[in-house]
Amino acid sequence: DYFNTNEAIDALTVGVYQYLRWYFCNEAAYSMLNYGTDEYTVGADNSNGPWNDYSSALAPTVATVNSNTAAASTLWNYMYTGINIANTLIDRIESGVYTGGKAKTVAGTGHFIRGFHYYNLLTQYGSVPLKLTPSTTVEFEFEPASMPEVFDQIEKDLTAAFDELPEKANKQ
């Protein structure tokens, strides 16, 4: 299994950051995460207006105005994909599969990414499913955890990341 090799885990540690690009590199993510605040204003084409004015157009599938329009499920899907990758990293360290020299960085990356995504899910949706193990098959049934449970996990993950990640990044 490829994801049980040091090479794959090192690559996954870099690749997990792809899911952070979505937050910061497109209008739809900015709209979803900042609507209703002083930082947000609806653009001239109103492609993401429902996120700010809570109109009836805001639904799991939002009618596409143009390529900037995002469905409500997009945020959910990106966050849980990133969480699953983070869970895989943490699992490979805790189970002893990873024997490379970057174990603390791998674990710290996993904890940071998972905590960051859960923070955004919690602030966006409130109670959400708290998945702390990697998914290896398709899963359909999840129960939401309480908001305090999710927040406690966020705090644990970010504290672990602080302890595990180096003070300065290695540029290699």
Side-chain angles (χ1 to χ4, degrees):
D1 185 34
Y2 178 68
F3 289 109
N4 287 325
T5 68
N6 290 344
E7 175 188 11
I9 296 165
D10 286 337
L12 203 56
T13 303
V14 174
V16 72
Y17 284 97
Q18 168 189 346
Y19 294 91
L20 292 182
R21 289 185 67 211
W22 183 82
Y23 282 103
F24 303 110
C25 295
N26 73 68
E27 179 185 335
Y30 181 76
S31 297
M32 288 182 196
L33 297 169
N34 291 294
Y35 66 83
T37 70
D38 292 342
E39 297 176 358
Y40 184 86
T41 187
V42 177
D45 67 5
N46 200 33
S47 59
N48 287 296
W51 291 104
N52 196 54
D53 60 20
Y54 307 103
S55 73
S56 61
L58 183 60
T61 54
V62 176
T64 302
V65 174
N66 61 34
S67 63
N68 286 331
T69 307
S73 61
T74 306
L75 176 68
W76 186 273
N77 292 341
Y78 269 92
M79 301 309 97
Y80 276 105
T81 300
I83 287 167
N84 193 56
I85 294 170
N87 285 339
T88 300
L89 293 173
I90 295 164
D91 175 73
R92 296 314 189 266
I93 295 298
E94 291 177 351
S95 65
V97 169
Y98 182 76
T99 58
K102 302 175 189 170
K104 284 185 74 170
T105 300
V106 171
T109 299
H111 284 116
F112 171 76
I113 296 293
R114 186 170 71 185
F116 183 81
H117 287 317
Y118 271 122
Y119 175 79
N120 282 299
L121 285 166
L122 182 72
T123 58
Q124 184 75 17
Y125 298 107
S127 296
V128 295
L130 188 59
K131 182 89 169 76
L132 303 176
T133 58
S135 294
T136 56
T137 62
V138 176
E139 299 174 60
F140 295 103
E141 300 293 327
F142 296 95
E143 292 293 323
S146 70
M147 289 178 68
E149 287 175 294
V150 177
F151 186 80
D152 287 346
Q153 187 60 49
I154 293 166
E155 185 176 26
K156 287 176 190 173
D157 281 338
L158 296 180
T159 299
F162 180 82
D163 293 339
E164 294 162 337
L165 291 171
E167 193 170 316
K168 285 189 158 195
N170 183 350
K171 295 181 183 177
Q172 294 180 340

